[in-house]
Amino acid sequence: MRLVFAGTPDFAVPSLLAADARNEVVAVYTQPDRPAGRGRALTASPVKRTALERGLAVDQPERLKGREVLESLSALEPDLIIVVAYGLLLPQAVLDIPKYGCWNVHASLLPRWRGAAPIQRAIQAGDTETGVCLMQMEKGLDTGPVLLRQTTPIAPTDTGGSLHDRLAVLGAQVLADGLGLLRVGMQLPLNPQPAQGITYAHKLDKAEARLDWSRPAIELSNTVRAFDPWPVAEAEVAGERLRIHAASALPLAHAQTPGTVLFAGRQGIDIACGEGALRLQRVQRAGGRAIDVADYLNARSDLRAVGA
């Protein structure tokens, strides 16, 4: 089967490998190289690097519009276009090119969390289950019928990073299953998405990373987990701005002003919240690396006495 693969970040790499395993990937589309790192050097996407390592042809148009782009795609004569976290919307003219249309691997149980950041929003909302959907693409944003899906629980210890890695593997498995069925002539079921339960996973904004101590502790704990490893939650703690890499909610009754340090010890630093308290367990000072709270307190003797 002749495939065109469109993807950009690390999340899409396992799916590219799955697509390339038993099919002919005639081209890989990915975002143009972008400045990255301290030197702001132009850097290829993870999908581009993987494609080149495997000797696959790479194209990096800024947009999927215009006669030249459409003619180039049509000339490839793909049976199927696979889209995984590509970063560009596919116009109807592109969706109409392949014999079997376009498939998308999406990191949520649609219709919950359509949009840009489904993994992080699921954790932030306190969901206890998520998964991946293989979807037949339509012009609307993540609105197409679902072909296959797999679920996975969200553990209380899951972070945006750990769930990302697990769903990337699950997504590749679902894609491989779908391709296998298509290869032997099976018709995959087109399951319309329910009209109820639709939510949108808006793109992460770094401004959201600042914790508001007046909010319930469980809400802040979910945000800390969702935003690790990026953009990483931040907060003012006893007069110092810290990045918070790990924390847990405590069902602690108190009458203190939100933001007050209730306790500081090897177990963590407990901060009063609007409801309960947030126990900080791993933090990062400006210009430093992430460290356990016990190490941080070695430099904050003023805090070690609090609540002791």
Side-chain angles (χ1 to χ4, degrees), residues 9-10 47 87 96 101 147 157 187 216 252 254 257 277-278:
D10 286 319
V47 162
D96 292 339
L147 306 169
T157 53
Q187 186 169 1
L252 184 65
H254 64 81
T257 302
L278 189 69

Side-chain angles (χ1 to χ4, degrees), residues 133 165 212:
C133 285
D165 293 349
D212 176 356

